[in-house]
Amino acid sequence: MVEAPQTEEGWFALHDFRSIDWDAWRDAPERERRRAIEEGKSFLRHREQVTDANEGDSGLFSVLGHKADLLFVHFRPSLDDLSAIERRFEDTALAAFTERTTSYVSVTEVSGYVSDEYFADPESVDEGLRSYIEGKLTPDIPDDEYVCFYPMSKRRGEEYNWYDLSFSDRADLMADHGEVGKEYAGKIKQVIASSVGLDDHEWGVTLFGSDPTDIKDIVYEMRFDPASSRYGEFGDFYIGRRFPPADLGAFLTGETVPTGDGGREVNGHHDADVEGGHHGESGHHGDAGGRGEGHRGSGGGSAHGDHPHGEEGTNVEGDHPHADGEERDQQDRHGDASDDAAADIRGELADLDIYAGKPHGEDVYATVLYSEADVDELFDEVEGLRGNFDHYGTHVKTAVYEGRATDRAAVVSIWDTASAAETAAGFLSELPGIVARAGEESGFGTMGMFYTVKPDYREEFGDTFDEVGDILAEMDGHVETDLMTNVEDENDMFIASQWEAKDDAMAFFGSDEFRETVQWGREVLADRPRHVFLA
């Protein structure tokens, strides 16, 4: 039997092509269109941020022609990751306006045509080749570039049968093919993914380039190479352009995307996007760093150097949030999980005689992100977003809190529903200096604790927190706790506490020290503490 080349696989790939039901879109009420846009943007942002897996990449593309309108490209470590992405999209309001025209499933691959040494002993090859191969197996998707996707197979005809050739003959053909691709290094990036046993053709080829004529030229030139002219068979070709999720509304209104400004007016409402959001008028800074009344509200390698086009070289949650809780027909997965967690934790705190009820008659949910940016710069950005958040009836509050024991600030956004808080997280994650999201740093991040302190007790409250902090530092399972102060209202405080596990936190809540602190708090707080559940 003819020798088959060795292969090594990397990330799995899903190319998901969607057409828009334009008649249904035009006939839909403005409220439904706005909801679809917000849920679509949130879903796509979370895919680009890879919140669903430990690594990978995703990109959104417009597609030209009748075959599709949109292309979602996802790279993930497993097929299960891609399967979850498919189902999460179908649960967004945007999905109801789309129809999948086709899709393609594959896995990134390098083959034995690359280097015999690599497959015999990967550690023995030089660093340049190893880096090149890693870029092929775990590719990044370039920003703001054109994309061309097509499937292909090697011919198995009576006159020309690729699989009857010896390994050395195939290797020579691939080497020559790769020489053509090298001429486009720096102009074209390619991702080769094997679909043998996974889809209809044998490989899926994705080309990225800033100039679409370079894509045309490389495909055309390679048609004359024997590896293609004799042995190549091709499926449909698709051409498109990457654009950011913030431009989804602009795409649906017929604007050229990417817009370049991160978001445009859609149906009378501006996209709540960091770069495109307008900032409110700045007030004057108050005492102690507070804000005055003027502020509102509380890798790839060389092109076609890979199998099957040649390979040589030595040379990167809450997925369907509903912005308006009154429009929701069912709880999303975050709402269900948060409600269960809320009931469990409230019950446990009640057993400890700790108030964990509904201070204002309702549950609210918070998104908390931490930033190392300058607090004034961060506040200016947050203020612009907050003006957009106020368009939604589910928005309760968005504010910036400055740390007491740490150098980082917290951006807190509180909403009536878990899904709306998750939507806000997509926007807030683009703020400057974001380093973490509450609940991701440790095994327990279910609640946030907010306190309004009587002005006369403000300093004493801080001193007491320092004493409690010393106790926390000695407790098993404690990661970090900080008292953070609203930069607009120094009497509004937020305790951010991270623990390795819920049991560790509950042990502290049940301690005599915490009980004494709670009793003292009844004298110094202007209102009952607000315990909110992190979305």
PDB file of all heavy atoms in Angstrom, residues 216-249:
ATOM      1  N   LYS A 216      -7.283  36.530  -5.162  1.00  0.00           N
ATOM      2  CA  LYS A 216      -7.528  36.066  -6.530  1.00  0.00           C
ATOM      3  C   LYS A 216      -6.235  35.592  -7.190  1.00  0.00           C
ATOM      4  O   LYS A 216      -6.191  34.516  -7.824  1.00  0.00           O
ATOM      5  CB  LYS A 216      -8.147  37.184  -7.365  1.00  0.00           C
ATOM      6  CG  LYS A 216      -8.411  36.784  -8.818  1.00  0.00           C
ATOM      7  CD  LYS A 216      -8.709  37.978  -9.682  1.00  0.00           C
ATOM      8  CE  LYS A 216      -7.453  38.753 -10.020  1.00  0.00           C
ATOM      9  NZ  LYS A 216      -6.592  38.015 -10.991  1.00  0.00           N
ATOM     10  N   ASP A 217      -5.172  36.384  -7.014  1.00  0.00           N
ATOM     11  CA  ASP A 217      -3.917  36.078  -7.706  1.00  0.00           C
ATOM     12  C   ASP A 217      -3.300  34.769  -7.238  1.00  0.00           C
ATOM     13  O   ASP A 217      -2.806  33.973  -8.045  1.00  0.00           O
ATOM     14  CB  ASP A 217      -2.920  37.222  -7.503  1.00  0.00           C
ATOM     15  CG  ASP A 217      -3.311  38.475  -8.271  1.00  0.00           C
ATOM     16  OD1 ASP A 217      -4.165  38.370  -9.171  1.00  0.00           O
ATOM     17  OD2 ASP A 217      -2.782  39.553  -7.942  1.00  0.00           O
ATOM     18  N   ILE A 218      -3.321  34.532  -5.919  1.00  0.00           N
ATOM     19  CA  ILE A 218      -2.666  33.310  -5.437  1.00  0.00           C
ATOM     20  C   ILE A 218      -3.446  32.077  -5.862  1.00  0.00           C
ATOM     21  O   ILE A 218      -2.855  31.064  -6.266  1.00  0.00           O
ATOM     22  CB  ILE A 218      -2.480  33.346  -3.899  1.00  0.00           C
ATOM     23  CG1 ILE A 218      -1.596  32.167  -3.470  1.00  0.00           C
ATOM     24  CG2 ILE A 218      -3.801  33.330  -3.164  1.00  0.00           C
ATOM     25  CD1 ILE A 218      -1.215  32.195  -2.004  1.00  0.00           C
ATOM     26  N   VAL A 219      -4.774  32.147  -5.832  1.00  0.00           N
ATOM     27  CA  VAL A 219      -5.576  30.999  -6.263  1.00  0.00           C
ATOM     28  C   VAL A 219      -5.385  30.760  -7.759  1.00  0.00           C
ATOM     29  O   VAL A 219      -5.218  29.615  -8.214  1.00  0.00           O
ATOM     30  CB  VAL A 219      -7.063  31.220  -5.927  1.00  0.00           C
ATOM     31  CG1 VAL A 219      -7.921  30.102  -6.523  1.00  0.00           C
ATOM     32  CG2 VAL A 219      -7.261  31.284  -4.409  1.00  0.00           C
ATOM     33  N   TYR A 220      -5.364  31.845  -8.529  1.00  0.00           N
ATOM     34  CA  TYR A 220      -5.209  31.718  -9.982  1.00  0.00           C
ATOM     35  C   TYR A 220      -3.849  31.135 -10.348  1.00  0.00           C
ATOM     36  O   TYR A 220      -3.749  30.211 -11.168  1.00  0.00           O
ATOM     37  CB  TYR A 220      -5.382  33.091 -10.626  1.00  0.00           C
ATOM     38  CG  TYR A 220      -5.284  33.081 -12.130  1.00  0.00           C
ATOM     39  CD1 TYR A 220      -6.236  32.424 -12.909  1.00  0.00           C
ATOM     40  CD2 TYR A 220      -4.239  33.742 -12.784  1.00  0.00           C
ATOM     41  CE1 TYR A 220      -6.144  32.415 -14.286  1.00  0.00           C
ATOM     42  CE2 TYR A 220      -4.140  33.739 -14.162  1.00  0.00           C
ATOM     43  CZ  TYR A 220      -5.092  33.075 -14.909  1.00  0.00           C
ATOM     44  OH  TYR A 220      -5.002  33.072 -16.275  1.00  0.00           O
ATOM     45  N   GLU A 221      -2.792  31.656  -9.725  1.00  0.00           N
ATOM     46  CA  GLU A 221      -1.453  31.180 -10.064  1.00  0.00           C
ATOM     47  C   GLU A 221      -1.279  29.715  -9.706  1.00  0.00           C
ATOM     48  O   GLU A 221      -0.641  28.945 -10.449  1.00  0.00           O
ATOM     49  CB  GLU A 221      -0.413  32.039  -9.332  1.00  0.00           C
ATOM     50  CG  GLU A 221       1.022  31.731  -9.758  1.00  0.00           C
ATOM     51  CD  GLU A 221       2.010  32.728  -9.205  1.00  0.00           C
ATOM     52  OE1 GLU A 221       1.586  33.759  -8.634  1.00  0.00           O
ATOM     53  OE2 GLU A 221       3.226  32.477  -9.352  1.00  0.00           O
ATOM     54  N   MET A 222      -1.850  29.312  -8.589  1.00  0.00           N
ATOM     55  CA  MET A 222      -1.683  27.927  -8.171  1.00  0.00           C
ATOM     56  C   MET A 222      -2.495  26.955  -9.018  1.00  0.00           C
ATOM     57  O   MET A 222      -2.210  25.750  -9.012  1.00  0.00           O
ATOM     58  CB  MET A 222      -2.056  27.785  -6.699  1.00  0.00           C
ATOM     59  CG  MET A 222      -0.986  28.375  -5.781  1.00  0.00           C
ATOM     60  SD  MET A 222      -1.246  27.924  -4.062  1.00  0.00           S
ATOM     61  CE  MET A 222       0.365  28.336  -3.385  1.00  0.00           C
ATOM     62  N   ARG A 223      -3.488  27.465  -9.752  1.00  0.00           N
ATOM     63  CA  ARG A 223      -4.234  26.579 -10.647  1.00  0.00           C
ATOM     64  C   ARG A 223      -3.332  25.983 -11.733  1.00  0.00           C
ATOM     65  O   ARG A 223      -3.631  24.931 -12.295  1.00  0.00           O
ATOM     66  CB  ARG A 223      -5.373  27.358 -11.308  1.00  0.00           C
ATOM     67  CG  ARG A 223      -6.524  27.692 -10.353  1.00  0.00           C
ATOM     68  CD  ARG A 223      -7.249  26.435  -9.905  1.00  0.00           C
ATOM     69  NE  ARG A 223      -8.276  26.708  -8.908  1.00  0.00           N
ATOM     70  CZ  ARG A 223      -9.542  26.938  -9.189  1.00  0.00           C
ATOM     71  NH1 ARG A 223      -9.952  26.945 -10.447  1.00  0.00           N
ATOM     72  NH2 ARG A 223     -10.403  27.167  -8.228  1.00  0.00           N
ATOM     73  N   PHE A 224      -2.232  26.667 -12.027  1.00  0.00           N
ATOM     74  CA  PHE A 224      -1.327  26.202 -13.084  1.00  0.00           C
ATOM     75  C   PHE A 224      -0.283  25.228 -12.555  1.00  0.00           C
ATOM     76  O   PHE A 224       0.474  24.647 -13.337  1.00  0.00           O
ATOM     77  CB  PHE A 224      -0.621  27.391 -13.746  1.00  0.00           C
ATOM     78  CG  PHE A 224      -1.563  28.252 -14.539  1.00  0.00           C
ATOM     79  CD1 PHE A 224      -2.199  29.328 -13.951  1.00  0.00           C
ATOM     80  CD2 PHE A 224      -1.827  27.977 -15.875  1.00  0.00           C
ATOM     81  CE1 PHE A 224      -3.076  30.119 -14.673  1.00  0.00           C
ATOM     82  CE2 PHE A 224      -2.704  28.760 -16.603  1.00  0.00           C
ATOM     83  CZ  PHE A 224      -3.333  29.835 -16.002  1.00  0.00           C
ATOM     84  N   ASP A 225      -0.220  25.075 -11.249  1.00  0.00           N
ATOM     85  CA  ASP A 225       0.745  24.155 -10.659  1.00  0.00           C
ATOM     86  C   ASP A 225       0.179  22.736 -10.723  1.00  0.00           C
ATOM     87  O   ASP A 225      -1.021  22.534 -10.483  1.00  0.00           O
ATOM     88  CB  ASP A 225       1.019  24.556  -9.204  1.00  0.00           C
ATOM     89  CG  ASP A 225       2.088  23.698  -8.580  1.00  0.00           C
ATOM     90  OD1 ASP A 225       3.271  23.991  -8.781  1.00  0.00           O
ATOM     91  OD2 ASP A 225       1.723  22.721  -7.875  1.00  0.00           O
ATOM     92  N   PRO A 226       0.977  21.726 -11.058  1.00  0.00           N
ATOM     93  CA  PRO A 226       0.453  20.362 -11.214  1.00  0.00           C
ATOM     94  C   PRO A 226      -0.290  19.826  -9.991  1.00  0.00           C
ATOM     95  O   PRO A 226      -1.228  19.039 -10.133  1.00  0.00           O
ATOM     96  CB  PRO A 226       1.708  19.523 -11.498  1.00  0.00           C
ATOM     97  CG  PRO A 226       2.649  20.492 -12.133  1.00  0.00           C
ATOM     98  CD  PRO A 226       2.398  21.807 -11.457  1.00  0.00           C
ATOM     99  N   ALA A 227       0.122  20.246  -8.794  1.00  0.00           N
ATOM    100  CA  ALA A 227      -0.575  19.758  -7.605  1.00  0.00           C
ATOM    101  C   ALA A 227      -2.048  20.143  -7.645  1.00  0.00           C
ATOM    102  O   ALA A 227      -2.903  19.434  -7.086  1.00  0.00           O
ATOM    103  CB  ALA A 227       0.080  20.323  -6.343  1.00  0.00           C
ATOM    104  N   SER A 228      -2.365  21.262  -8.340  1.00  0.00           N
ATOM    105  CA  SER A 228      -3.766  21.665  -8.496  1.00  0.00           C
ATOM    106  C   SER A 228      -4.318  21.280  -9.860  1.00  0.00           C
ATOM    107  O   SER A 228      -5.423  20.746  -9.972  1.00  0.00           O
ATOM    108  CB  SER A 228      -3.908  23.182  -8.301  1.00  0.00           C
ATOM    109  OG  SER A 228      -3.700  23.538  -6.954  1.00  0.00           O
ATOM    110  N   SER A 229      -3.554  21.573 -10.914  1.00  0.00           N
ATOM    111  CA  SER A 229      -4.090  21.367 -12.263  1.00  0.00           C
ATOM    112  C   SER A 229      -4.391  19.895 -12.537  1.00  0.00           C
ATOM    113  O   SER A 229      -5.350  19.577 -13.244  1.00  0.00           O
ATOM    114  CB  SER A 229      -3.104  21.915 -13.299  1.00  0.00           C
ATOM    115  OG  SER A 229      -1.880  21.196 -13.260  1.00  0.00           O
ATOM    116  N   ARG A 230      -3.579  19.013 -11.996  1.00  0.00           N
ATOM    117  CA  ARG A 230      -3.810  17.584 -12.215  1.00  0.00           C
ATOM    118  C   ARG A 230      -4.612  16.932 -11.091  1.00  0.00           C
ATOM    119  O   ARG A 230      -5.382  16.001 -11.331  1.00  0.00           O
ATOM    120  CB  ARG A 230      -2.469  16.849 -12.335  1.00  0.00           C
ATOM    121  CG  ARG A 230      -1.651  17.231 -13.551  1.00  0.00           C
ATOM    122  CD  ARG A 230      -0.347  16.458 -13.565  1.00  0.00           C
ATOM    123  NE  ARG A 230       0.520  16.866 -14.678  1.00  0.00           N
ATOM    124  CZ  ARG A 230       1.757  16.431 -14.868  1.00  0.00           C
ATOM    125  NH1 ARG A 230       2.271  15.561 -13.993  1.00  0.00           N
ATOM    126  NH2 ARG A 230       2.473  16.844 -15.890  1.00  0.00           N
ATOM    127  N   TYR A 231      -4.383  17.411  -9.875  1.00  0.00           N
ATOM    128  CA  TYR A 231      -4.890  16.650  -8.733  1.00  0.00           C
ATOM    129  C   TYR A 231      -5.879  17.422  -7.844  1.00  0.00           C
ATOM    130  O   TYR A 231      -6.382  16.861  -6.873  1.00  0.00           O
ATOM    131  CB  TYR A 231      -3.713  16.179  -7.864  1.00  0.00           C
ATOM    132  CG  TYR A 231      -2.767  15.278  -8.621  1.00  0.00           C
ATOM    133  CD1 TYR A 231      -1.550  15.745  -9.112  1.00  0.00           C
ATOM    134  CD2 TYR A 231      -3.096  13.943  -8.860  1.00  0.00           C
ATOM    135  CE1 TYR A 231      -0.676  14.919  -9.803  1.00  0.00           C
ATOM    136  CE2 TYR A 231      -2.236  13.105  -9.558  1.00  0.00           C
ATOM    137  CZ  TYR A 231      -1.025  13.601 -10.033  1.00  0.00           C
ATOM    138  OH  TYR A 231      -0.180  12.780 -10.723  1.00  0.00           O
ATOM    139  N   GLY A 232      -6.162  18.666  -8.156  1.00  0.00           N
ATOM    140  CA  GLY A 232      -7.041  19.437  -7.294  1.00  0.00           C
ATOM    141  C   GLY A 232      -8.491  19.427  -7.747  1.00  0.00           C
ATOM    142  O   GLY A 232      -8.789  19.572  -8.942  1.00  0.00           O
ATOM    143  N   GLU A 233      -9.418  19.261  -6.815  1.00  0.00           N
ATOM    144  CA  GLU A 233     -10.851  19.374  -7.074  1.00  0.00           C
ATOM    145  C   GLU A 233     -11.435  20.304  -6.013  1.00  0.00           C
ATOM    146  O   GLU A 233     -11.160  20.133  -4.813  1.00  0.00           O
ATOM    147  CB  GLU A 233     -11.535  18.003  -7.023  1.00  0.00           C
ATOM    148  CG  GLU A 233     -11.077  17.074  -8.134  1.00  0.00           C
ATOM    149  CD  GLU A 233     -11.770  15.726  -8.100  1.00  0.00           C
ATOM    150  OE1 GLU A 233     -12.261  15.347  -7.004  1.00  0.00           O
ATOM    151  OE2 GLU A 233     -11.837  15.055  -9.134  1.00  0.00           O
ATOM    152  N   PHE A 234     -12.237  21.282  -6.438  1.00  0.00           N
ATOM    153  CA  PHE A 234     -12.640  22.359  -5.554  1.00  0.00           C
ATOM    154  C   PHE A 234     -14.155  22.454  -5.427  1.00  0.00           C
ATOM    155  O   PHE A 234     -14.899  22.164  -6.360  1.00  0.00           O
ATOM    156  CB  PHE A 234     -12.088  23.694  -6.073  1.00  0.00           C
ATOM    157  CG  PHE A 234     -10.593  23.691  -6.209  1.00  0.00           C
ATOM    158  CD1 PHE A 234      -9.990  23.296  -7.397  1.00  0.00           C
ATOM    159  CD2 PHE A 234      -9.792  24.074  -5.152  1.00  0.00           C
ATOM    160  CE1 PHE A 234      -8.612  23.276  -7.529  1.00  0.00           C
ATOM    161  CE2 PHE A 234      -8.405  24.068  -5.276  1.00  0.00           C
ATOM    162  CZ  PHE A 234      -7.813  23.669  -6.461  1.00  0.00           C
ATOM    163  N   GLY A 235     -14.588  22.888  -4.243  1.00  0.00           N
ATOM    164  CA  GLY A 235     -15.992  23.170  -4.010  1.00  0.00           C
ATOM    165  C   GLY A 235     -16.291  24.637  -4.230  1.00  0.00           C
ATOM    166  O   GLY A 235     -15.565  25.347  -4.928  1.00  0.00           O
ATOM    167  N   ASP A 236     -17.379  25.130  -3.649  1.00  0.00           N
ATOM    168  CA  ASP A 236     -17.775  26.531  -3.803  1.00  0.00           C
ATOM    169  C   ASP A 236     -16.799  27.456  -3.087  1.00  0.00           C
ATOM    170  O   ASP A 236     -16.269  27.121  -2.021  1.00  0.00           O
ATOM    171  CB  ASP A 236     -19.177  26.752  -3.238  1.00  0.00           C
ATOM    172  CG  ASP A 236     -20.255  26.109  -4.094  1.00  0.00           C
ATOM    173  OD1 ASP A 236     -19.980  25.838  -5.279  1.00  0.00           O
ATOM    174  OD2 ASP A 236     -21.365  25.881  -3.580  1.00  0.00           O
ATOM    175  N   PHE A 237     -16.605  28.623  -3.689  1.00  0.00           N
ATOM    176  CA  PHE A 237     -15.766  29.664  -3.089  1.00  0.00           C
ATOM    177  C   PHE A 237     -16.661  30.733  -2.461  1.00  0.00           C
ATOM    178  O   PHE A 237     -17.710  31.088  -3.005  1.00  0.00           O
ATOM    179  CB  PHE A 237     -14.871  30.311  -4.150  1.00  0.00           C
ATOM    180  CG  PHE A 237     -13.643  29.506  -4.483  1.00  0.00           C
ATOM    181  CD1 PHE A 237     -13.740  28.285  -5.127  1.00  0.00           C
ATOM    182  CD2 PHE A 237     -12.380  29.980  -4.146  1.00  0.00           C
ATOM    183  CE1 PHE A 237     -12.618  27.545  -5.440  1.00  0.00           C
ATOM    184  CE2 PHE A 237     -11.244  29.243  -4.451  1.00  0.00           C
ATOM    185  CZ  PHE A 237     -11.360  28.024  -5.094  1.00  0.00           C
ATOM    186  N   TYR A 238     -16.211  31.257  -1.306  1.00  0.00           N
ATOM    187  CA  TYR A 238     -16.920  32.331  -0.605  1.00  0.00           C
ATOM    188  C   TYR A 238     -15.932  33.457  -0.315  1.00  0.00           C
ATOM    189  O   TYR A 238     -14.776  33.196   0.068  1.00  0.00           O
ATOM    190  CB  TYR A 238     -17.497  31.823   0.723  1.00  0.00           C
ATOM    191  CG  TYR A 238     -18.544  30.750   0.575  1.00  0.00           C
ATOM    192  CD1 TYR A 238     -18.190  29.422   0.362  1.00  0.00           C
ATOM    193  CD2 TYR A 238     -19.899  31.065   0.653  1.00  0.00           C
ATOM    194  CE1 TYR A 238     -19.149  28.425   0.228  1.00  0.00           C
ATOM    195  CE2 TYR A 238     -20.873  30.078   0.514  1.00  0.00           C
ATOM    196  CZ  TYR A 238     -20.487  28.762   0.301  1.00  0.00           C
ATOM    197  OH  TYR A 238     -21.447  27.790   0.162  1.00  0.00           O
ATOM    198  N   ILE A 239     -16.381  34.695  -0.479  1.00  0.00           N
ATOM    199  CA  ILE A 239     -15.531  35.850  -0.216  1.00  0.00           C
ATOM    200  C   ILE A 239     -16.257  36.792   0.741  1.00  0.00           C
ATOM    201  O   ILE A 239     -17.477  37.002   0.615  1.00  0.00           O
ATOM    202  CB  ILE A 239     -15.145  36.596  -1.518  1.00  0.00           C
ATOM    203  CG1 ILE A 239     -14.100  37.684  -1.234  1.00  0.00           C
ATOM    204  CG2 ILE A 239     -16.361  37.159  -2.207  1.00  0.00           C
ATOM    205  CD1 ILE A 239     -12.729  37.165  -0.946  1.00  0.00           C
ATOM    206  N   GLY A 240     -15.541  37.325   1.699  1.00  0.00           N
ATOM    207  CA  GLY A 240     -16.162  38.217   2.675  1.00  0.00           C
ATOM    208  C   GLY A 240     -15.141  39.117   3.332  1.00  0.00           C
ATOM    209  O   GLY A 240     -13.963  39.126   2.974  1.00  0.00           O
ATOM    210  N   ARG A 241     -15.607  39.882   4.313  1.00  0.00           N
ATOM    211  CA  ARG A 241     -14.757  40.846   5.007  1.00  0.00           C
ATOM    212  C   ARG A 241     -15.064  40.790   6.500  1.00  0.00           C
ATOM    213  O   ARG A 241     -16.222  40.799   6.904  1.00  0.00           O
ATOM    214  CB  ARG A 241     -15.026  42.268   4.490  1.00  0.00           C
ATOM    215  CG  ARG A 241     -14.249  43.380   5.225  1.00  0.00           C
ATOM    216  CD  ARG A 241     -12.798  43.402   4.804  1.00  0.00           C
ATOM    217  NE  ARG A 241     -12.018  44.381   5.537  1.00  0.00           N
ATOM    218  CZ  ARG A 241     -11.875  45.668   5.198  1.00  0.00           C
ATOM    219  NH1 ARG A 241     -12.511  46.137   4.135  1.00  0.00           N
ATOM    220  NH2 ARG A 241     -11.113  46.469   5.907  1.00  0.00           N
ATOM    221  N   ARG A 242     -14.023  40.737   7.334  1.00  0.00           N
ATOM    222  CA  ARG A 242     -14.238  40.706   8.774  1.00  0.00           C
ATOM    223  C   ARG A 242     -14.722  42.064   9.271  1.00  0.00           C
ATOM    224  O   ARG A 242     -14.299  43.110   8.774  1.00  0.00           O
ATOM    225  CB  ARG A 242     -12.963  40.319   9.510  1.00  0.00           C
ATOM    226  CG  ARG A 242     -13.216  40.111  11.008  1.00  0.00           C
ATOM    227  CD  ARG A 242     -12.046  39.552  11.766  1.00  0.00           C
ATOM    228  NE  ARG A 242     -12.462  39.203  13.123  1.00  0.00           N
ATOM    229  CZ  ARG A 242     -11.649  38.734  14.056  1.00  0.00           C
ATOM    230  NH1 ARG A 242     -10.359  38.553  13.782  1.00  0.00           N
ATOM    231  NH2 ARG A 242     -12.107  38.448  15.267  1.00  0.00           N
ATOM    232  N   PHE A 243     -15.625  42.040  10.264  1.00  0.00           N
ATOM    233  CA  PHE A 243     -16.026  43.270  10.932  1.00  0.00           C
ATOM    234  C   PHE A 243     -16.325  42.962  12.392  1.00  0.00           C
ATOM    235  O   PHE A 243     -16.626  41.819  12.751  1.00  0.00           O
ATOM    236  CB  PHE A 243     -17.213  43.938  10.229  1.00  0.00           C
ATOM    237  CG  PHE A 243     -18.523  43.199  10.308  1.00  0.00           C
ATOM    238  CD1 PHE A 243     -19.458  43.486  11.301  1.00  0.00           C
ATOM    239  CD2 PHE A 243     -18.855  42.221   9.368  1.00  0.00           C
ATOM    240  CE1 PHE A 243     -20.670  42.821  11.360  1.00  0.00           C
ATOM    241  CE2 PHE A 243     -20.070  41.553   9.429  1.00  0.00           C
ATOM    242  CZ  PHE A 243     -20.983  41.858  10.426  1.00  0.00           C
ATOM    243  N   PRO A 244     -16.243  43.949  13.274  1.00  0.00           N
ATOM    244  CA  PRO A 244     -16.427  43.693  14.701  1.00  0.00           C
ATOM    245  C   PRO A 244     -17.887  43.503  15.055  1.00  0.00           C
ATOM    246  O   PRO A 244     -18.779  44.057  14.392  1.00  0.00           O
ATOM    247  CB  PRO A 244     -15.856  44.957  15.356  1.00  0.00           C
ATOM    248  CG  PRO A 244     -16.052  46.028  14.337  1.00  0.00           C
ATOM    249  CD  PRO A 244     -15.850  45.348  13.006  1.00  0.00           C
ATOM    250  N   PRO A 245     -18.188  42.754  16.115  1.00  0.00           N
ATOM    251  CA  PRO A 245     -19.583  42.570  16.538  1.00  0.00           C
ATOM    252  C   PRO A 245     -20.308  43.887  16.777  1.00  0.00           C
ATOM    253  O   PRO A 245     -21.522  43.965  16.567  1.00  0.00           O
ATOM    254  CB  PRO A 245     -19.441  41.759  17.832  1.00  0.00           C
ATOM    255  CG  PRO A 245     -18.175  40.999  17.666  1.00  0.00           C
ATOM    256  CD  PRO A 245     -17.259  41.926  16.917  1.00  0.00           C
ATOM    257  N   ALA A 246     -19.594  44.923  17.203  1.00  0.00           N
ATOM    258  CA  ALA A 246     -20.243  46.218  17.451  1.00  0.00           C
ATOM    259  C   ALA A 246     -20.876  46.795  16.196  1.00  0.00           C
ATOM    260  O   ALA A 246     -21.783  47.629  16.286  1.00  0.00           O
ATOM    261  CB  ALA A 246     -19.222  47.207  18.012  1.00  0.00           C
ATOM    262  N   ASP A 247     -20.423  46.351  15.024  1.00  0.00           N
ATOM    263  CA  ASP A 247     -20.957  46.859  13.755  1.00  0.00           C
ATOM    264  C   ASP A 247     -22.110  46.019  13.224  1.00  0.00           C
ATOM    265  O   ASP A 247     -22.548  46.226  12.091  1.00  0.00           O
ATOM    266  CB  ASP A 247     -19.849  46.900  12.695  1.00  0.00           C
ATOM    267  CG  ASP A 247     -18.930  48.089  12.861  1.00  0.00           C
ATOM    268  OD1 ASP A 247     -19.284  49.018  13.611  1.00  0.00           O
ATOM    269  OD2 ASP A 247     -17.849  48.093  12.243  1.00  0.00           O
ATOM    270  N   LEU A 248     -22.609  45.072  14.005  1.00  0.00           N
ATOM    271  CA  LEU A 248     -23.687  44.213  13.517  1.00  0.00           C
ATOM    272  C   LEU A 248     -24.910  45.040  13.119  1.00  0.00           C
ATOM    273  O   LEU A 248     -25.539  44.789  12.088  1.00  0.00           O
ATOM    274  CB  LEU A 248     -24.065  43.187  14.586  1.00  0.00           C
ATOM    275  CG  LEU A 248     -25.186  42.209  14.222  1.00  0.00           C
ATOM    276  CD1 LEU A 248     -24.793  41.363  13.019  1.00  0.00           C
ATOM    277  CD2 LEU A 248     -25.523  41.313  15.410  1.00  0.00           C
ATOM    278  N   GLY A 249     -25.279  46.025  13.930  1.00  0.00           N
ATOM    279  CA  GLY A 249     -26.414  46.884  13.593  1.00  0.00           C
ATOM    280  C   GLY A 249     -26.182  47.649  12.313  1.00  0.00           C
ATOM    281  O   GLY A 249     -27.093  47.793  11.482  1.00  0.00           O
TER     282      GLY A 249
END
